[in-house]
Amino acid sequence: MAPRSEDEDGIAIPPAPNWYGSALADWGVGCNDIYAYAARNTIVLLRPNGGGKGSAVGDDRPAESSSSSPSRPDRDASFAGTLVGHHNRVTALAFARCPGVEHLLLSGSADRTVRLWDVADRRCVKILRGHAVDVVALATSPRVPDLAVSGDRGGKLLVWRFGGGADAPASTLESLDASPVLCLAMSPHPFRDEVACGHQSGALGVYVLSGDGAVRKRLPARSGDAQACAWMPSITSGDSSSEIDPDSKERDEGDPPMVLAVGSREKAVTLWSWDGARTSLRKTLSLPRCPPNLSEAQRGRLWLSLAWSAIDDEDTAGAEDAAGAEPPAKARTDGRTVHLVTASHGGDLLRWTLDVHELVGSNGAGHVANAPVAMDKFGPNDKAHARTVFTIRVKRGVAVTTSLDRSVSVWDVDSCERRWSTFGLGGFSYRVGVDPEDPFRASVACGDGSLRSLDLHRAGGGGDVMWRGLPQTKATCAAWCPPAEEGEGHGGRVAVGLEDGRVVVVDAGGQGRYAVQRDCHAGPVVAAQWIRRSDDSGVGSTNELWTLGEGRLWRWRSLALPEDRRKGKGAGDQARGGGGIFEDVTDSLAGNDRVERGGASSFEWLHPSRDAGPPDFHSEPLSRLAVGWNDGRVSVHRRTLRSEEADLLPSDLLRSGDDRSRWSWTELWCTREHTKRVTAVRWHPRAAEDDETALFPGWLAATSKDGSFLVYDGGGVVVRSPPSCRQALNDVAWAPGGAGGDSPGGDSP
């Protein structure tokens, strides 16, 4: 594999893995320690054993060889990058399994192509075409470097020799039936190329590819979907040969028997022996009873994925760290037993301990006919997957799983304990908010409705769930607010805007406590910002929330807060201002052009420096509001407090807390350089400086749906206008602290 690149730690929160397929992930063999899983149209690369720049293992630690022990419990996995190229959902992955080509990865997709990737260089080497429908299964040969088989939803099976220059299939296999192919597996036989195939109809078969043509052998069909299949690895213990019957025909001819495990929707794993011509059912492993707490929908989502793990591999790997150390007392090095890891109901993982001799049909010493099968459950329950497990891959005693709960987890097969886990994003990441008290802590508003907390102090990627969201909606924006007073709250509050227009205030340190505001926007909340303003006395200051949704800009005069819910305030308290009261300032800002401007599309307040005093009482031009409009205009406004008119307001208005008449708005400048909706307005980090030495006074960057990116000075004059993009620009960001001179950094979609 190529050396790790500098950008390997760039994935902070990965995308969630795809669902409903047992070939949606694969783990490289030999020196390739990369694990790949499918996430929408992308392939995410992970190092389950850690050691990368994004893991807990520092650069000052010596690198471990590929034959070293599996990751210790204090080692975090690290992300190694992504592969992008498919035009539709990625549905199958398979690494090449021969020495010298371990860095090659095959991927199948709903775009009906198979792509060959060089994982070391992160590039697509070749596109293979031949399928007319979605490719849903892949398998590569451990004997022939460039041999692979793919299956699609129409039941078609294609054989590929991807090492040459051709991009067409080498041959087509006779299908078992026309139902979708759900699983493929190439056997580890040293002399023959054999591939097992399972269909959605329950049809099972083994194809022998060696020779001039392929030979197809049917296995008894299952009553449910054949969802996963895997060949038992060859047992290569030092003295295991003495346990095999020396008179065995398989041993005399150098033709070891193969064992195939098949997981099906009939809630059982069947184990078959195969000698190249005949099959025999050796054992059936029935899953435990479904837990009573699962709903009918959860009971119907069973996907019986599986993977083999040799016990010798697990135990000896754990002893390799200490030179000359003896294997653990419980280690078995006689090759008599093997582990099979399977999925079960509701996200459970099971480990079955099987007798090898019983499976292959030998009668050596120590063999017990119908030996009992020991079953262990991975746990504990609070660490297990919460929903269906779809893929299981095992290497050197470490298992990696993906699940419907959007997580990727790393397990120790020997101890049945979880070592590491991360929850992927279940949708688009709409907005990232930074904690004003800790710039290394951020929140991410996700398309699955949740709010993620990302702590960049921690070396490993992932992101904890700060708030799980509300049903049937998405979190579209988030904004942090530090405590207004010393000792208030725990880590501040976060305002979350939802797709349905609701605004929620979440206690960042309160274990998910939240309060939903009484009023909501007419459409998705696209922006939110807290600003500091003076209180009624003009001495102190407080935090004020502003939100934008469906073209309307709201200033929240009072908010329902999580601590109010905890204190048990009733409906009467909320009616007096505790349930969230807002003021719509859009028309006040638009003035006579309210119809032409068509509503606000973006906004941002300019924060004065900390030593400037309360912003609403400070002299112009520190307290300014920039607004982007749907018709392409950009305007800047200043808000001032009409303190001299406060005594003219009705006393009942002041008592009610209605301060709408206490503020006046002045439009400092307005220009229309963009032809389409303005998508973002961002103040320069030093825009608040107004003395004679200021380099960027009032500088403002704006992007638009027309692809233009402009920078305005304090008077609305364009001072920077890079060439327009052919596509819409969605956002822009300045380098922190104005680093990089006067050049803003822009992010295009």
Side-chain angles (χ1 to χ4, degrees), residues 34 151 319:
I34 294 292

Side-chain angles (χ1 to χ4, degrees), residues 620-659:
E620 193 266 339
L622 291 182
S623 182
R624 282 171 285 180
L625 170 65
V627 182
W629 301 88
N630 285 325
D631 67 346
R633 301 190 200 200
V634 176
S635 60
V636 174
H637 309 261
R638 180 165 61 91
R639 181 178 70 165
T640 56
L641 178 64
R642 297 189 227 176
S643 57
E644 70 280 0
E645 299 179 12
D647 55 346
L648 301 179
L649 295 175
S651 58
D652 59 340
L653 187 62
L654 289 177
R655 282 196 302 269
S656 67
D658 192 340
D659 57 357

Side-chain angles (χ1 to χ4, degrees), residues 2 39 91 106 170-171 232 276 324 396 426 446 527 532 553 578 588 648 681 702 724:
T91 50
L106 287 170
S171 61
M232 185 181 74
R396 296 197 297 272
C446 305
R532 186 165 59 95
L553 183 58
S588 300
L648 301 179
V681 286
S724 297

